[in-house]
Amino acid sequence: MSLHPSLQSYADAWTHSIDAISDLVSPLMEGEWNRRTPCPGWSVRDIVSHVIGLDCEALGDPRPIHTLPRDLYHVTNEHQRYMEMQVDVRRHHTAPEMTSELEYTIIRRNRQLRNESRRPDALVRGPLGTEVTLEESMRNRAFDLWVHEQDLRTTLGRPGNLDSPGAYVARDVLLARLPKVVAKDAGAPANSAIVFDVHGPVEFLRTVRVDADGVGSIDGSPSLGPAATLALDWETYFRLACGRVTPEAVADRLKTEGDPDLTSAILHNFTVTP
């Protein structure tokens, strides 16, 4: 293996989730590919198209030349338009076409990862013509794939892998975005602390601290007398953070203490995925 050691966990998470996705969709009948998923606006076929498309871009393939329809209600910004291109171009592909392209893409990406010798800080292609580091690109692919694996599992009634390698990548990605949610988006007061107590297959206790200048940071130490505490299970946490459910829909799985206006503001600004 020539892969840099710091990238191995992302490669492992990608491999675990892509194999799971392949296993989930390979036996599906044609009509099942049209089933609606928790990902807004996307069917099973759309999610698999997205997975194929982004991995093809990671391989260096050119993006499709395609004009999007004007009536896609879930496409409201440029980032979503960018992501939708790889999806819409495959909307009329049959089940065998989808599974064969997925299998071929997995083979190509596995070969690419086996031969990957670039450093983690090497710049690679990112969304909307941007450049990102290889490490960021691989982390984002591992995160994205695990979340979409969970979308498919929810739709198909096949729960599992809530504590797989991708789950821990997702935990770290979502926690890195939590200080902004609390301090900036929810407007938590200066010199306050908000505790998140998450239980289940992936469990953690984190405190977001807002300093005198209103800047948030996060650590694993408990806080005495926090302004608010939110306790919830891991599945509810990531589904809220990824915009798959509303706070109202999972109210029975949430336990909050402290300032009710602050906890409400946090929960209604919890989604951090584009």
Side-chain angles (χ1 to χ4, degrees):
M1 287 289 290
S2 54
L3 192 66
H4 194 280
S6 66
L7 303 177
Q8 191 62 55
S9 62
Y10 302 133
D12 292 343
W14 177 88
T15 300
H16 197 278
S17 286
I18 200 76
D19 288 345
I21 288 173
S22 180
D23 289 344
L24 286 166
V25 303
S26 292
L28 297 183
M29 303 296 290
E30 191 69 51
E32 293 178 289
W33 286 81
N34 298 321
R35 291 179 63 178
R36 184 178 179 181
T37 73
C39 186
W42 281 2
S43 66
V44 169
R45 176 184 286 99
D46 295 339
I47 281 181
V48 178
S49 296
H50 168 74
V51 166
I52 292 169
L54 288 197
D55 274 323
C56 284
E57 291 186 28
L59 284 159
D61 294 356
R63 279 174 55 77
I65 298 172
H66 179 70
T67 301
L68 288 179
R70 295 179 177 272
D71 59 350
L72 297 174
Y73 73 92
H74 59 282
V75 178
T76 59
N77 57 49
E78 280 307 304
H79 184 272
Q80 291 171 345
R81 287 184 64 80
Y82 182 94
M83 292 301 173
E84 196 71 21
M85 200 73 75
Q86 294 280 12
V87 171
D88 194 67
V89 78
R90 294 176 173 85
R91 281 218 159 96
H92 299 293
H93 287 197
T94 64
E97 287 173 329
M98 293 299 299
T99 53
S100 62
E101 188 180 11
L102 177 63
E103 289 168 9
Y104 182 51
T105 304
I106 292 171
I107 291 169
R108 294 175 65 210
R109 275 287 276 160
N110 274 322
R111 184 186 302 126
Q112 182 189 41
L113 289 172
R114 281 197 306 270
N115 297 326
E116 183 61 79
S117 58
R118 291 173 291 182
R119 291 183 52 79
D121 58 0
L123 293 178
V124 299
R125 169 185 182 179
L128 293 167
T130 59
E131 286 189 326
V132 298
T133 65
L134 178 61
E135 182 172 15
E136 183 180 353
S137 175
M138 289 184 63
R139 179 171 61 243
N140 288 344
R141 290 302 302 125
F143 168 62
D144 185 65
L145 225 65
W146 181 81
V147 173
H148 289 312
E149 177 197 338
Q150 293 303 318
D151 288 333
L152 294 173
R153 288 186 177 281
T154 299
T155 300
L156 301 172
R158 297 273 305 278
N161 285 353
L162 286 171
D163 59 350
S164 67
Y168 289 93
V169 174
R171 175 200 63 186
D172 293 344
V173 168
L174 295 175
L175 284 176
R177 300 175 185 178
L178 195 54
K180 177 180 178 293
V181 167
V182 171
K184 183 178 180 182
D185 301 337
N191 300 312
S192 64
I194 294 83
V195 173
F196 294 83
D197 185 359
V198 176
H199 58 274
V202 174
E203 60 180 36
F204 51 87
L205 180 75
R206 294 291 188 275
T207 301
V208 174
R209 303 180 193 279
V210 184
D211 67 15
D213 297 319
V215 177
S217 61
I218 190 167
D219 61 54
S221 304
S223 172
L224 296 176
T229 299
L230 293 88
L232 63 166
D233 64 275
W234 165 235
E235 185 175 6
T236 302
Y237 183 96
F238 82 76
R239 293 183 76 194
L240 278 169
C242 296
R244 272 37 179 186
V245 291
T246 64
E248 292 75 18
V250 292
D252 60 328
R253 303 180 69 166
L254 293 164
K255 182 181 179 182
T256 62
E257 296 178 1
D259 183 344
D261 291 335
L262 177 57
T263 57
S264 177
I266 291 169
L267 289 170
H268 285 93
N269 286 280
F270 211 66
T271 300
V272 293
T273 52

